[in-house]
Amino acid sequence: MAAVTRGSFTVFRQLLTHHYRRRCFRPQSFRPDRTLQPLSFRYETDLKMFSSRSLHSSAVSQRPIVSFKLSDIGEGIMEVTVKEWYVKEGDKVSQFDSICEVQSDKASVTITSRYDGVIKKLHYEVDGTALVGKPLVDIETESSSEVLQEEDVVETPAMARDEHTHQEIKGLKTQATPAVRRLAIENNIKLSEVVGTGKDCRILKEDILNFLAKQTGAIIPPTLFQEIQPPPPLAAARPVSTPAALKAPPTTPKPVFTGKDVTEPLKGYHRAMVKTMTAALKIPHFGYCDELDLSRLVSLRAELRPIAEGRGVKLSYMPFFIKAASLSLLHFPILNSSLDEGCQNITYKASHNIGLAMDTVNGLLVPNVKNVQLLSVFDVAQELNRLQALGTAGQLGTNELSGGTFTLSNIGSIGGTYAKPVILPPEAAIGALGKVQVLPRFDAGGQVVRAHIMNVSWSADHRIIDGATMCRFSNLWKKYLENPASMVLDLK
C-alpha cells in the first residue's frame, strides 16, 4: 500500500512539474485541466510572486547612480572645505535633506540633496577641499525619470543652499522639486498659482493635490498625505541645548605639547583674512580716538532691558551704537562710501549695512545688519540676536557676511580698551569700541562723580576722508550716545 502511495505521488509530482513547465515556457498553448485547477492556481500565484520579486530585484539593481556635483555658490568661489558630513555611505536621503556643510573663504553653506535615494560614496573626507563642478557624493536614485529631468540642473550655478530648486515663472521664483513640477505639468497646473506651504514657501506635493482638489471638488484621502509627507530635516534630530547647558562656562582644553612643528594650509576664513588684510594694507589709514560718558545710556538700557526681554530679545549696548552710527552717517555719507580700485570714482551707499566684528568658533567674522537707516533700536537688537545665534552655531551665510558698508568692532566684549582697527575693503571707515569702565570724572559743578566711560578708536581711508570729517562724525555719534534722548528726534 505504501509503495502504491509513493508511486502515485511520484506520478502526481511529475504531472505537476510538466504542468509548471508548460505554463512557464508555453503559456499560449496551456489549457488548464479541471482536476488540477486548484493546484495550478497556487502555482500561478507563486509564479506571479516569483516574477514580481525578480522584476523588483532587477529594478533595484538597475537604479541609476548619479554623481551629485558641487554647484557654484557664487562670489567667484572655486573650492570649499568640507566641515561636516550629515550623512554616511548607505544612508537614505530625500530631496532637500542636508548632506554636508562646506565653508568657503566667505561663508558656510549647507548643501542639500537634489534626489531621493541612497548615499553610495562620499568623495571627500572632513576638512577636505572640494572643487566646484566636481562630484561631491554619489547617490543611487529611486527614479530614473527624475534624474533625467535633473541632469540639466546639476550644472546650473546656484548661489547658495536651495536655490537650485528655483524656477522662473513670469518673474516670480517658485521652489519645487522635479517630481512636484512633473505632477503640476501632468495636471495642467501653473506653479505660480499654487501657494507653497513648505520651508521658504516651497511647493510640496500636497499643495498640488490641495489645489487640484479645489479645482475639481475631489476629496483627497488623509492616507495620501501621509505617504507624501516629506521627512523632517536631519538637523531637527539634533538635541536642543538646555538653558543650563547654555549658561555653563566654556571649558578651556588642556594644551598638548608635541615638540614638533606643524604645517597646514590656510583654509576657509583664515584664507579670507589673508586676502582681505593684504588688500587693506593698500589703504592709507587715518586714526582718531575719543572717550564717551555713557552714564545716561547705561540707565536707559537698564530701564528698557526688561521690556525687550519680555518680547524675547536680549538688549545690549550694541543696538544703540549701531543706530547712532546710522544717524550720523546720514550727515556724513562719505564714511558710508567706497572707492574704486582705480581711485577714480566714489560710490555713496544708500543702505547702511553696518557690520559687527564677531569672535566665533570659526574665527573673526563680520556679519552686518542690513538697512539700519530703516530700523528701530529694537529691530537692530532683534537682528543682532539672530546673527549672534548663527555665529555661535557656525551657520553664518553669504547673505549675512556680504554687502557691509560700515563696521564697528566691539573689542571691549573681550576686555580691550584701545585698538587700531583695520578697514575692511571696500569700506571706508571702521570703529573699535573699548570696554565700559566706571571711572571718576568731574561733573558740570566740578564735583567728582562715578561715570561709565568707553573709549572708541576710529580708522578711516585717508584718501577720501580727512581728519576734520572723521572728528565731526565722531562728535555727532558721541552726542547721540551721551544724550540718548536726542536720538528720539531723529528716529524714523
Side-chain angles (χ1 to χ4, degrees):
M1 183 66 182
V4 174
T5 304
R6 285 197 300 268
S8 301
F9 179 76
T10 301
V11 173
F12 183 67
R13 185 176 60 183
Q14 291 176 352
L15 180 60
L16 288 179
T17 303
H18 177 68
H19 184 67
Y20 176 74
R21 287 177 179 174
R22 291 186 63 186
R23 280 197 61 84
C24 290
F25 300 103
R26 299 183 61 186
Q28 69 277 7
S29 60
F30 175 71
R31 294 294 183 270
D33 185 76
R34 180 174 302 176
T35 59
L36 297 178
Q37 186 172 359
L39 293 176
S40 67
F41 176 77
R42 288 181 57 188
Y43 271 95
E44 182 180 358
T45 304
D46 294 341
L47 181 60
K48 287 183 179 180
M49 292 177 61
F50 174 79
S51 301
S52 175
R53 290 173 182 174
S54 300
L55 292 175
H56 178 70
S57 60
S58 175
V60 171
S61 62
Q62 294 179 0
R63 287 177 179 175
I65 296 179
V66 178
S67 291
F68 179 14
K69 298 179 181 180
L70 178 64
S71 299
D72 180 16
I73 59 177
E75 302 285 336
I77 296 171
M78 299 305 298
E79 63 181 32
V80 296
T81 301
V82 178
K83 299 304 296 181
E84 182 180 2
W85 285 105
Y86 299 132
V87 296
K88 61 182 182 297
E89 293 181 1
D91 284 355
K92 185 174 182 180
V93 295
S94 300
Q95 297 179 47
F96 305 115
D97 280 353
S98 297
I99 293 180
C100 66
E101 180 181 347
V102 299
Q103 177 183 303
S104 68
D105 58 357
K106 296 181 182 295
S108 292
V109 177
T110 299
I111 305 298
T112 58
S113 175
R114 298 189 181 122
Y115 312 106
D116 297 332
V118 178
I119 301 295
K120 304 301 291 184
K121 181 181 179 181
L122 306 180
H123 284 270
Y124 301 97
E125 300 289 339
V126 174
D127 291 331
T129 301
L131 302 178
V132 171
K134 299 297 182 181
L136 188 65
V137 296
D138 289 346
I139 302 178
E140 184 183 55
T141 59
E142 297 182 354
S143 173
S144 59
S145 60
E146 288 191 12
V147 174
L148 295 176
Q149 291 190 16
E150 196 72 11
E151 283 300 317
D152 61 342
V153 183
V154 173
E155 302 296 336
T156 302
M159 294 304 296
R161 300 192 180 185
D162 300 335
E163 288 196 14
H164 51 262
T165 63
H166 287 178
Q167 180 184 13
E168 294 286 345
I169 299 180
K170 295 182 179 180
L172 298 176
K173 284 186 176 180
T174 59
Q175 298 185 77
T177 65
V180 173
R181 290 198 289 267
R182 184 172 63 251
L183 181 63
I185 293 174
E186 291 175 353
N187 291 277
N188 196 26
I189 297 175
K190 296 181 180 179
L191 290 179
S192 58
E193 299 177 355
V194 181
V195 178
T197 60
K199 181 181 178 182
D200 298 328
C201 298
R202 182 178 295 122
I203 298 177
L204 307 177
K205 289 183 180 179
E206 60 184 272
D207 298 326
I208 299 293
L209 295 176
N210 273 330
F211 183 85
L212 186 62
K214 291 179 181 179
Q215 297 295 321
T216 61
I219 300 177
I220 307 299
T223 54
L224 184 57
F225 287 112
Q226 295 175 4
E227 294 176 0
I228 63 177
Q229 188 69 24
L234 297 180
R238 298 179 181 177
V240 180
S241 301
T242 60
L246 294 176
K247 296 181 180 179
T251 57
T252 303
K254 184 178 180 180
V256 179
F257 180 72
T258 61
K260 298 180 180 180
D261 296 342
V262 178
T263 301
E264 60 182 21
L266 289 171
K267 297 181 180 179
Y269 297 122
H270 288 163
R271 177 180 293 185
M273 183 179 293
V274 171
K275 294 168 58 178
T276 303
M277 293 300 101
T278 301
L281 187 62
K282 302 176 183 179
I283 300 175
H285 283 53
F286 168 76
Y288 178 81
C289 300
D290 201 355
E291 73 171 30
L292 296 77
D293 185 352
L294 301 181
S295 299
R296 294 184 181 179
L297 180 60
V298 170
S299 300
L300 178 63
R301 173 178 172 263
E303 183 179 349
L304 296 178
R305 185 164 60 176
I307 300 175
E309 290 179 352
R311 301 181 185 180
V313 174
K314 181 180 178 181
L315 182 63
S316 64
Y317 293 114
M318 279 307 300
F320 297 96
F321 298 153
I322 291 176
K323 187 60 184 179
S326 177
L327 294 174
S328 303
L329 289 174
L330 292 174
H331 295 270
F332 300 93
I334 195 170
L335 271 77
N336 198 57
S337 66
S338 62
L339 182 66
D340 65 1
E341 293 184 0
C343 298
Q344 299 297 319
N345 301 287
I346 299 177
T347 301
Y348 295 89
K349 303 298 180 65
S351 299
H352 296 171
N353 300 338
I354 300 181
L356 172 65
M358 187 179 296
D359 182 33
T360 71
V361 293
N362 294 322
L364 178 66
L365 301 179
V366 189
N368 59 84
V369 181
K370 300 289 193 298
N371 295 308
V372 179
Q373 77 279 3
L374 303 177
L375 304 180
S376 66
V377 173
F378 180 80
D379 294 334
V380 175
Q382 195 171 30
E383 178 65 5
L384 282 180
N385 283 194
R386 186 184 73 88
L387 294 176
Q388 288 166 350
L390 292 176
T392 302
Q395 296 179 353
L396 288 169
T398 305
N399 183 59
E400 290 84 14
L401 295 172
S402 61
T405 61
F406 185 87
T407 299
L408 293 176
S409 177
N410 188 15
I411 192 65
S413 61
I414 301 177
T417 305
Y418 300 95
K420 186 179 179 181
V422 180
I423 299 170
L424 299 177
E427 298 176 17
I430 184 174
L433 312 176
K435 62 181 179 181
V436 179
Q437 306 177 86
V438 179
L439 299 174
R441 289 295 185 268
F442 291 100
D443 61 10
Q447 300 296 319
V448 177
V449 296
R450 289 166 49 93
H452 293 79
I453 304 299
M454 184 188 76
N455 297 98
V456 59
S457 305
W458 300 103
S459 290
D461 187 342
H462 211 355
R463 294 173 297 180
I464 56 176
I465 299 173
D466 55 49
T469 301
M470 188 74 252
C471 180
R472 293 188 180 100
F473 168 84
S474 180
N475 288 340
L476 180 58
W477 180 76
K478 175 180 177 180
K479 176 183 175 183
Y480 281 129
L481 295 174
E482 290 189 336
N483 301 280
S486 64
M487 296 175 61
V488 177
L489 297 177
D490 295 326
L491 290 178
K492 296 182 179 179

